[in-house]
């Protein structure tokens, strides 16, 4: 049996070691508490940053929508025409303008006069501000046309549509055969609103969705219907999520 003195020394040493261990454990616990606090502060900062990012994304989305609307507004008097073959120099704006005007003069502008939308057929300088052939791979390339006035453009677009419908009813003829009012067939060319790239992309995307009956562009905005008999829905911002747009939120 070891002497009492040796046991006492061993107990003191064990007590010292235990105190040192407890001290280190307390220090580690303090470090863990500090680490947990830092993690909590970090998580709170991340949450705040995510909120700021979400707010900024929303602001950017709205600003992009406004820029797109401004760009579309600048195209208000513009259209794109398909199916007009240009004879001669395609790079000469005046040559293109003359042939576009000839395509509009009879019968579209004449039809507009018969409907009382115009007093008389206006001259080319009153109708077209500029026109030029756009790049393309087809033999008959698309044409960009800017009208002198939004009113003239609206008259052309409405008359083109109504004239096509009337010719379907009359078997493709219009007029009574008298001089200056000969039977006229509908021109082969088509006229479309000139849209921004993002408006056009959204319109095409919507048209391919199974829960969208039809999509089109009118009045400076993309519009669509869920069903044939449904009310048209106007897209307020083309940069909203597709889910938000389709659900009309």
């Amino acid at each position: 049996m070891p002497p009492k003195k040796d046991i006492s020394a061993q107990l003191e040493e064990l007590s010292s070691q235990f105190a040192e261990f407890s001290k280190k454990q307390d220090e580690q616990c303090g470090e863990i508490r500090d680490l947990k606090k830092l993690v909590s502060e970090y998580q709170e900062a991340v949450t705040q940053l995510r909120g700021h990012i979400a707010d900024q994304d929303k602001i950017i989305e709205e600003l992009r929508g406004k820029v797109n609307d401004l760009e579309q507004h600048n195209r208000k008097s513009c259209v794109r025409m398909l199916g007009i073959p240009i004879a001669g120099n395609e790079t000469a704006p005046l040559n293109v303008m003359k042939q576009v005007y000839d395509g509009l003069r009879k019968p579209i502008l004449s039809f507009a006069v018969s409907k009382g939308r115009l007093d008389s057929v206006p001259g080319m300088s009153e109708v077209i501000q500029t026109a030029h052939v756009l790049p393309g791979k087809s033999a008959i390339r698309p044409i960009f046309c800017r009208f002198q006035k939004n009113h003239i453009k609206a008259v052309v677009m409405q008359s083109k549509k109504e004239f096509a419908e009337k010719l379907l009813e009359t078997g493709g003829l219009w007029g009574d055969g008298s001089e200056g009012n000969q039977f006229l067939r509908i021109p082969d060319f088509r006229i479309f609103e000139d849209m921004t790239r993002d408006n056009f992309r959204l319109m095409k995307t919507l048209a391919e969705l199974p829960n969208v009956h039809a999509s089109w562009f009118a009045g400076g905005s993309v519009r669509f219907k869920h069903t044939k008999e449904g009310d048209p829905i106007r897209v307020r911002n083309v940069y909203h999520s597709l889910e938000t747009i389709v659900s009309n939120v």
Side-chain angles (χ1 to χ4, degrees), residues 9-239:
Q10 290 176 359
L11 289 173
E12 287 181 3
E13 184 179 355
L14 287 172
S15 178
S16 176
Q17 290 177 353
F18 181 77
E20 183 68 22
F21 174 78
S22 296
K23 181 180 178 182
K24 290 183 178 179
Q25 189 177 40
D26 290 341
E27 290 175 352
Q28 289 178 347
C29 288
E31 291 174 354
I32 291 173
R33 284 193 299 270
D34 292 341
L35 182 59
K36 286 182 176 180
K37 182 179 179 182
L38 287 174
V39 170
S40 178
E41 291 174 351
Y42 173 77
Q43 289 176 335
E44 184 179 352
V46 168
T47 300
Q48 291 178 352
L49 285 173
R50 285 175 175 171
H52 292 323
I53 291 172
D55 291 341
Q56 290 179 346
D57 286 345
K58 185 177 180 180
I59 292 172
I60 291 171
E61 184 179 87
E62 295 303 320
L63 289 175
R64 290 181 69 195
K66 290 181 180 179
V67 170
N68 183 68
D69 290 343
L70 286 173
E71 184 181 348
Q72 187 60 58
H73 181 75
N74 290 334
R75 301 173 185 231
K76 189 175 182 180
S77 60
C78 305
V79 297
R80 297 196 179 208
M81 300 179 176
L82 302 178
I84 301 181
I86 300 298
N89 187 359
E90 289 188 347
T91 63
L94 184 59
N95 179 49
V96 177
M97 289 169 63
K98 287 179 178 178
Q99 295 184 59
V100 169
Y101 173 72
D102 286 340
L104 294 174
R105 184 169 56 89
K106 282 190 176 182
I108 304 303
L109 294 175
S110 299
F111 182 76
V113 172
S114 73
K115 290 292 185 179
R117 297 184 185 123
L118 296 172
D119 294 332
S120 60
V121 175
M124 184 183 75
S125 61
E126 298 176 81
V127 176
I128 300 174
Q129 184 180 116
T130 186
H132 61 265
V133 177
L134 296 169
K137 297 181 180 180
S138 59
I140 301 177
R141 293 185 291 170
I143 295 172
F144 170 85
C145 176
R146 182 184 291 274
F147 289 95
Q148 285 286 9
K149 297 179 180 179
N150 293 330
H151 170 65
I152 293 294
K153 176 205 166 186
V155 167
V156 168
M157 297 294 283
Q158 182 180 7
S159 299
K160 168 75 176 179
K161 179 181 178 181
E162 290 185 7
F163 185 63
E165 293 172 350
K166 187 172 184 65
L167 292 187
L168 288 175
E169 297 173 0
T170 60
L173 299 175
W174 173 67
D176 56 12
S178 61
E179 186 176 353
N181 196 24
Q182 289 82 12
F183 290 96
L184 299 170
R185 295 186 178 276
I186 188 168
D188 295 330
F189 69 84
R190 291 171 289 164
I191 307 176
F192 300 96
E193 295 273 3
D194 185 47
M195 289 177 277
T196 65
R197 180 183 59 183
D198 291 338
N199 281 339
F200 179 75
R201 284 179 175 176
L202 177 63
M203 184 185 71
K204 298 289 286 183
T205 299
L206 288 172
E208 296 171 357
L209 295 179
N211 57 339
V212 172
H213 172 72
S215 67
W216 65 97
F217 186 87
S221 302
V222 177
R223 300 164 191 262
F224 68 97
K225 293 200 300 184
H226 286 295
T227 61
K228 185 176 182 180
E229 294 78 17
D231 295 328
I233 300 171
R234 177 188 171 192
V235 177
R236 300 294 179 179
N237 190 329
V238 298
Y239 301 109

